Amino acid sequence: MISRRDALKSIGLSAGAVLAANSLQASPAQAAAQFSFCLNTSTIMGQQPGLKGYLDIAARAGYDGVELWIRDLQEYINAGNSVGSLKKLIADSGLKFENAIGFAPWMVDDEAKRKGGFAQMEQEMELLAALDCTRVAAPAFGVDAPLDLFQAGERYKMLLDLGRKTGVMPQLEFWGAFPYFHHLGQVLMVAAVANDKDARILPDIYHLFRGGSGYDGLKMVQGHAIEVFHMNDFVSHIPRAEQQDKDRVYPGDGAAPMKEILADLKAMGGKKVLSLELFNPDYWKQDALEVAKTGLEKMRALVAQV
């Protein structure tokens, strides 16, 4: 069992680490190299372009990488395609497969369900490893009761061990509207309890707002603890507690303090994958390539300001 004292030593929450990270000043060239741009395929899933279409659109739009959903990978394979052909398809796109989105109940209290969740994660991690993807999102999917965050941290530690075994590292994710795991403070505690050098968190602008976290907490995190950051924005005319995934808008088109957020990400150090993740039905009615291009242009414009 990991002690509380040891838990506090992880993921760079010390005052000294915070001051050191924020004291770093990057040149414009260094700042540009620090961020890469990625398309989460949720942004254009309403157009249903299929896996090949997702890759083609992301590449033509000019993205560096892509976040694919595991269900789309499995659908492609179940249609009679080999893992090898899928790997070649991704490689030929010229895109880096930065992260995968999946939903395995690895954090739940029910022992049988949790065992099944870990088995699912291992199977999915092995698939991702074969496709040269080294990350997978790890949300608290399936949790249906208040969490013991110390137990959750122990489970995340086990998941990190599985990640090292497979070569695909779990990025701890929280959802702003989820009753039991919705706040930056919760995800930082779970990562700290894991007390593991490979602990990583996956924040999201919308979820930080929707869950009531705000953004100043990002100043407490060392750069290595965040590798992927989901980009989107929220509108000001819908009350926070009533906002839904479908209400997300392009970064910079809403009320989020984008310049401050990106400045904090830059100041903490470490390379960051900025991944556009939207679920807006109005965007799904538009040309998928134009939506992808628009999102990339807006992200680049925002990064250029910091």
Side-chain angles (χ1 to χ4, degrees), residues 27-293:
S27 69
Q30 289 172 325
Q34 186 177 1
F35 295 108
S36 64
F37 300 97
C38 179
L39 179 67
N40 184 308
T41 53
S42 67
T43 302
I44 53 172
M45 67 170 48
Q47 290 91 334
Q48 300 182 339
L51 187 58
K52 291 182 180 180
Y54 287 136
L55 295 169
D56 178 64
I57 290 166
R60 289 169 62 195
Y63 284 86
D64 303 304
V66 67
E67 266 190 306
L68 300 174
W69 289 49
I70 290 174
R71 68 188 184 199
D72 292 326
L73 302 175
Q74 293 170 335
E75 181 179 332
Y76 181 86
I77 294 170
N78 292 339
N81 300 292
S82 68
V83 174
S85 68
L86 176 54
K87 180 178 181 178
K88 184 176 186 302
L89 182 67
I90 297 171
D92 288 349
S93 73
L95 298 163
K96 186 174 181 180
F97 189 178
E98 294 284 12
N99 188 39
I101 307 299
F103 304 96
W106 64 274
M107 197 190 285
V108 299
D109 286 334
D110 184 277
E111 186 175 356
K113 290 181 180 178
R114 188 170 66 254
K115 183 177 180 180
F118 269 84
Q120 178 182 337
M121 285 294 287
E122 183 168 13
Q123 183 180 43
E124 293 174 353
M125 285 173 166
E126 288 174 347
L127 170 61
L128 295 174
L131 300 175
D132 292 333
C133 177
T134 59
R135 304 184 187 96
V136 63
F141 180 76
V143 171
D144 57 5
L147 276 168
D148 180 320
L149 297 180
F150 282 94
Q151 288 185 349
E154 295 287 343
R155 292 163 190 169
Y156 183 47
K157 171 70 173 180
M158 293 172 60
L159 197 63
L160 288 165
D161 289 339
L162 184 59
R164 282 184 284 269
K165 174 184 174 183
T166 60
V168 179
M169 299 308 296
Q171 314 292 298
L172 190 61
E173 186 177 20
F174 58 106
W175 297 331
F178 190 57
Y180 309 114
F181 201 59
H182 62 271
H183 199 280
L184 179 63
Q186 293 173 304
V187 76
L188 288 177
M189 179 170 172
V190 169
V193 170
N195 194 36
D196 193 297
K197 64 181 177 60
D198 290 322
R200 300 290 186 271
I201 66 172
L202 176 53
D204 177 300
I205 288 175
Y206 165 80
H207 288 311
L208 285 164
F209 168 71
R210 179 62 177 82
S213 299
Y215 301 100
D216 283 334
L218 293 173
K219 294 178 173 67
M220 301 180 66
V221 184
Q222 277 189 353
H224 75 273
I226 298 176
E227 296 179 353
V228 180
F229 192 89
H230 283 165
M231 293 288 286
N232 39 61
D233 210 334
F234 60 87
V235 295
S236 59
H237 62 274
I238 301 176
R240 179 183 64 80
E242 297 177 16
Q243 298 239 354
Q244 301 178 45
D245 283 330
K246 67 180 181 62
D247 299 316
R248 304 185 195 193
V249 295
Y250 290 120
D253 281 7
M258 303 299 300
K259 186 174 181 179
E260 175 188 338
I261 293 166
L262 289 169
D264 286 341
L265 290 176
K266 183 176 77 170
M268 70 175 62
K271 292 186 177 181
K272 303 283 181 285
V273 177
L274 302 181
S275 185
L276 183 70
E277 187 186 53
L278 301 167
F279 298 86
N280 192 310
D282 290 333
Y283 299 159
W284 287 346
K285 297 174 184 177
Q286 301 170 26
D287 179 77
L289 180 58
E290 287 304 310
V291 170
K293 284 183 175 179

